[in-house]
Amino acid sequence: MSTEILTYKTLAESRESEFRDRGSRFLGYAFSVETLSEIKTHLHHLKEMHPKAVHHCYAYRLGWQGTQFRANDDGEPSGSAGKPILGQIDSLGLVNTLVVVVRYFGGTLLGVPGLINAYKTTSQLCLQQALCVEKDIELPYQLEFDYQQMNGVMRLLKQVDARIQQQDLQLFCLIQAGIPKRNLARFLQETSNIEHQVITRKVD
């Protein structure tokens, strides 16, 4: 009998690492991320920090199911950088995680095996130093209700540990929130019990 998955594992903090091989410097950066926009921001920042680096290779895995991912070699031989980085993320069972390895060339070619080892080791050092955390899987819901129901709705969201993502509170209110999967049944039951109708709709 399969057990329902209610949490996912990600980084609790950002970490950095450094690895050297035959003059080349490999600088590792690990981040907890939730969106492609966050990933682009981190990559842009690192390119500004290291404008003279020859490569900014990276990998990420997004979503609690881990279905959105990418491994980027940024000019290194195919499969020698992004794939080893992603392999280290996956070896720890992490999602919503980005690892970037910045390389300063030292004048000596490392060959594909050397590159694979360098990118793998840099990522490994970075992730092994980081604290990891189990987070609730959240399902996005939109609530629509009259302003007079505000107190009841807010009380319920607090009780089920919901995370409010967007809100528009006027005479007719809209709130988009992440509902922990472990509390979903209670949330749906309680919203149906509120005196005046609260419309709940799962967001795709």
Side-chain angles (χ1 to χ4, degrees):
M1 183 175 178
S2 62
T3 303
E4 185 180 12
I5 299 172
L6 300 176
T7 62
Y8 64 90
K9 185 180 177 184
T10 190
L11 300 180
E13 59 183 0
S14 300
R15 295 296 295 186
E16 300 178 12
S17 65
E18 181 172 348
F19 176 75
R20 294 173 182 260
D21 188 2
R22 285 165 277 181
S24 283
R25 291 176 65 213
F26 296 85
L27 306 176
Y29 299 87
F31 306 96
S32 175
V33 293
E34 293 187 358
T35 65
L36 290 174
S37 178
E38 287 180 79
I39 290 170
K40 290 177 182 177
T41 298
H42 284 305
L43 290 171
H44 179 72
H45 179 62
L46 289 173
K47 286 180 180 180
E48 286 187 333
M49 282 178 60
H50 301 285
K52 295 184 179 180
V54 291
H55 301 286
H56 293 77
C57 305
Y58 65 91
Y60 62 78
R61 193 173 286 282
L62 287 180
W64 65 268
Q65 293 172 303
T67 53
Q68 190 173 7
F69 65 93
R70 187 177 180 190
N72 188 297
D73 296 313
D74 192 35
E76 293 282 32
S78 179
S80 67
K83 192 173 179 180
I85 297 171
L86 184 62
Q88 291 308 300
I89 294 173
D90 291 345
S91 71
L92 294 175
L94 296 169
V95 296
N96 285 2
T97 299
L98 165 69
V99 176
V100 185
V101 178
V102 176
R103 182 189 181 188
Y104 285 89
F105 184 55
T108 301
L109 295 175
L110 303 183
V112 170
L115 290 172
I116 291 173
N117 178 68
Y119 284 102
K120 175 184 175 180
T121 302
T122 307
S123 305
Q124 187 178 52
L125 290 171
C126 211
L127 293 171
Q128 284 181 344
Q129 295 174 35
L131 291 174
C132 296
V133 64
E134 293 280 341
K135 288 190 175 183
D136 281 317
I137 293 171
E138 294 180 348
L139 303 175
Y141 272 80
Q142 180 169 292
L143 293 85
E144 304 175 12
F145 54 93
D146 290 331
Y147 189 80
Q148 63 185 4
Q149 300 163 264
M150 173 73 70
N151 289 340
V153 170
M154 288 302 193
R155 190 182 307 115
L156 173 59
L157 290 176
K158 184 176 181 180
Q159 288 171 348
V160 298
D161 298 321
R163 184 165 59 101
I164 295 176
Q165 298 162 336
Q166 295 179 26
Q167 57 184 15
D168 182 10
L169 308 178
Q170 300 182 43
L171 286 178
F172 186 72
C173 303
L174 292 174
I175 290 180
Q176 186 166 313
I179 310 300
K181 195 176 177 184
R182 61 186 167 85
N183 292 331
L184 182 61
R186 179 184 177 187
F187 165 76
L188 294 174
Q189 177 64 41
E190 292 293 336
T191 51
S192 68
N193 288 341
I194 292 177
E195 184 177 355
H196 299 285
Q197 186 179 22
V198 176
I199 300 172
T200 59
R201 179 170 60 85
K202 191 171 186 297
V203 181
D204 295 329

